[in-house]
Amino acid sequence: MDQNSLSTQTASERRNSSIGIRMTLLYLILYGGFVVLSVFRPGWMGAQAILGLNLAVAYGLGLIIVAVILALVYSQLCRIPRTGEALQDAHTSDRSFGEKGG
Amino acid sequence: MAIAVFVIFVAIVLIASSHTSQRAGSVGGYFVANRSVHWSVNGIAFAGGYLSVASFLGICGLISFFGFDGFLYSIGFLAGWIVALFVIAEPMKRMGTFTFPDALNRNYNHPGIQLAAGLSVLVVSLFYLVPQMVGAGVLVEPLLGIPHYWGVIMVGTVVILIVASGGMTSTTYVQFFNGGLLLVFATVLTGAVLLRGVNTADLPPQEGDVDLEPYTFEEVNVDISGDLPKVDLPHARIVDRHAKIDRYTGQETEVFYRMSRLVPAISDGEGGYTAELKGRTPHFVSPPEEHELWAVDYVEGRPFLRVEDWWRLVSGAEDADRLVETQFRAVLADGRVLVNGVPEGPTNRLRQVGGVAKLPDDYGGNTGTVGPIRLLSVFADESTLVNQPADISFTTDTDEDVTIYYHRPTTGAVFMRPGLMFPVEAQTGEPPVVTLLNRLNFISLMLALFLGTSALPHILIRYYTVPSADDARKSTVVGIIGIGVFYVLTMYLGLGAVASGALNPETSNMSAPLLARSFGEVLFAVISGIAFTTVLATVSGLIMAASGAVAHDFVGNLLHREISDNAKVLTGRIVAVVIGLIGIVLGIAFREMNVSFLVGWAFAVAASANLPALLLMLFWRKTTAVGIISSILVGIIASVGLILLSPDMWARYGLDPASAPMPLNQPGIVSIPLSFLTLVVVSLKTRGRAPA
């Protein structure tokens, strides 16, 4: 395997990836919570939550809205370059971005 | 009119394609649209390609029939995009040049990876292709009045033209165009639903040449205390009975009575009659030469049509028991088909069903124009009663195959929470293992939806049509916004369809077009046209992905030499035609298949075959080439194998579903971890031998 094959990754790319993984895990927790509630406490899902909506509808719509918000936040975070990023690039070529990302 | 709108849509698409086809001559032009697609266009194209007929017609239909459980698909289909955006998009773009097998193979340069990943692209594409093609045929039958296979051939031909001529460039335009149309018209339709509000009395008028008008079902009092039930109708008697029995408690949950009764008929004096039947006046001649089904009796000198139809027993707690009229289709032993007791025909078809029977008291039967939040809370109210469509099929003692379509009044509180389609709650008397399996099926489906999206081949190829990883990310964000908005709207389309009584009792797939028709012919034609472009957009993406996999990943690696760019493009075009033709054949062969049925499975196959390899290749340094290859192959074999052994397939083979070797219908929860495990174990085993 070519040792430098991942060297085209810049620090910002790795940073994006690490933000991305955290956001994915956050969303996975929210989504998992929804699935667990639906499966094991469907009665709760019928209870009133907010704005006259029951928990199922509020949570379900919430998951869609949160996904859109997270996507927007992520794209904003990725757009702001960190200072000194270009300099870091030269020194990080031997690091797998998998480690950093995980 | 629907066909005119569709022809206009197709014409626009074909003109756009032919405009771009001269740019499609090169490899870059044909396979990845020269990587010059603007991120915003690519984003809408993501939405247009991803939102298939299963999302549009399927989800709206499921929500209109099963309430909240249909919306679960919306949630899962969108959640998958989180993985696509945050984890997959940028690395895929950076590492690949043409196809996702490219990206997988980037660090290994092992022909086996490209062959295995190419194979998985082909398998998933075909799994996804079949329901789309079937959907095209399902649409064409009621909309244009031409046979199912014509719809499949029509869509197949247009897609082949688009893909083989314009490649990825025209595919992008089709998907962009479709994405835009879907978003705009779903918004328009939602606005119309909110303006109309919910009304318990009058269902909206159905314009045009309507064969599925709504109908208010009659009720009669019945006395079931004696041996023979007595109905409160002149010249009527009960002649048969069918009960639905709970599997576990052995109790009767629904009881249906077959009533023989006389319906007043009017003679035209020349041997012909008309009779009021289910609100309709079919004209018939009696006695007919060919059969005895239009039997006219004279009572006290007045003609009556004798009809036998099925009624459902509604037990009243305080008031008397009642029978509520149902609709039914019966196939007699000699093959003749009856609808509601008389022969099926152009003037005698099943009526539209649905509607809201009761609203919270403060609305007085009509909400008027409502806001988007209010509509949802009205539906979820304890005192709201929704006419949920239900059916039951059985064979009578006289060898008639009967399917009864009836309304099951469901409180809004139940309709708007999980449980109607996926029975996650333990039922009385249900063995714990059945409850567990139901719950596992649900979790398994949600897992496959979450992990499958980012591994769908026609989504993955879109990353290569933009110039940079930045653009890949930005277009994915646009895609998520578009798809998220659309999925929120599916809720309103589904609820609007049931509130408007615009449901076809036989298929949930028609709910969205029928809702549109309740607002007039123009909207109906546009929505039907969009349904076709939805098929076009998804199918062209799938064929493009398969074409790329064969031309780019298979041919070179199988021949063990580089092939020229021109040969690659030519191969791509030929493969597109061949896959298109296979799609047409399968679309016709599997016409009975439920549209959303296979789509869920395609997600499971994609999530099992592709995602473990993608994720671990990116985030686990010890991943080896052999590990990736084994994981892909195990993922394909395990997911497809488990599907073939599942209770649903067992039922399709005509066997007892309970005896299926695999107790779950959804393979994801087994096959996805298995594929991950394979990758880890094989990678650790092979690591020493082939240093990575």
Side-chain angles (χ1 to χ4, degrees), chain B residues 293-499:
Chain B
L293 291 163
W294 298 113
V296 170
D297 286 358
Y298 274 82
V299 179
E300 293 163 4
R302 298 212 320 274
F304 288 88
L305 173 67
R306 177 160 294 281
V307 181
E308 287 189 356
D309 53 4
W310 289 90
W311 297 61
R312 187 172 71 96
L313 178 68
V314 179
S315 303
E318 289 152 30
D319 38 305
D321 293 326
R322 285 167 298 140
L323 288 183
V324 181
E325 204 179 10
T326 68
Q327 303 192 85
F328 68 97
R329 172 190 295 276
V331 181
L332 304 186
D334 59 11
R336 283 178 298 175
V337 179
L338 300 189
V339 167
N340 295 334
V342 291
E344 184 182 38
T347 59
N348 186 42
R349 298 218 194 160
L350 294 173
R351 301 311 186 87
Q352 284 181 201
V353 296
V356 171
K358 194 162 162 286
L359 282 169
D361 289 339
D362 26 329
Y363 291 107
N366 189 354
T367 63
T369 297
V370 285
I373 300 285
R374 177 63 61 85
L375 182 80
L376 297 178
S377 66
V378 166
F379 254 96
D381 199 281
E382 284 284 344
S383 50
T384 300
L385 265 190
V386 179
N387 285 331
Q388 195 200 353
D391 57 71
I392 178 174
S393 296
F394 55 91
T395 305
T396 66
D397 298 340
T398 51
D399 249 359
E400 288 179 32
D401 292 321
V402 178
T403 304
I404 296 179
Y405 302 93
Y406 60 102
H407 282 148
R408 183 186 292 141
T410 305
T411 65
V414 171
F415 196 69
M416 295 298 276
R417 70 176 169 87
L420 287 177
M421 185 162 60
F422 303 103
V424 286
E425 241 168 323
Q427 310 295 315
T428 324
E430 186 180 74
V433 62
V434 176
T435 315
L436 179 71
L437 287 177
N438 284 336
R439 290 175 169 172
L440 281 179
N441 263 325
F442 179 87
I443 296 172
S444 187
L445 172 72
M446 295 307 272
L447 182 71
L449 297 185
F450 188 65
L451 296 179
T453 302
S454 49
L456 290 175
H458 66 299
I459 298 304
L460 287 163
I461 52 166
R462 286 234 69 83
Y463 293 129
Y464 304 112
T465 58
V466 290
S468 70
D470 262 355
D471 292 298
R473 181 185 68 240
K474 282 192 250 174
S475 60
T476 313
V477 172
V478 173
I480 287 185
I481 296 171
I483 294 165
V485 168
F486 182 83
Y487 280 144
V488 170
L489 299 180
T490 55
M491 182 73 128
Y492 293 96
L493 302 188
L495 295 180
V498 66

Side-chain angles (χ1 to χ4, degrees), chain A residues 1 5 16 31 39 54 74, chain B residues 90 107 377 416 442 446 621:
Chain A
M1 173 185 154
S5 59
N16 290 357
Y31 184 79
V39 169
N54 66 22
Y74 176 70
Chain B
E90 290 165 74
N107 296 335
S377 66
M416 295 298 276
F442 179 87
M446 295 307 272
R621 281 213 299 172

Side-chain angles (χ1 to χ4, degrees), chain B residues 267-273 285-286:
Chain B
S267 168
D268 63 5
E270 295 164 15
Y273 299 88
V285 177
S286 175

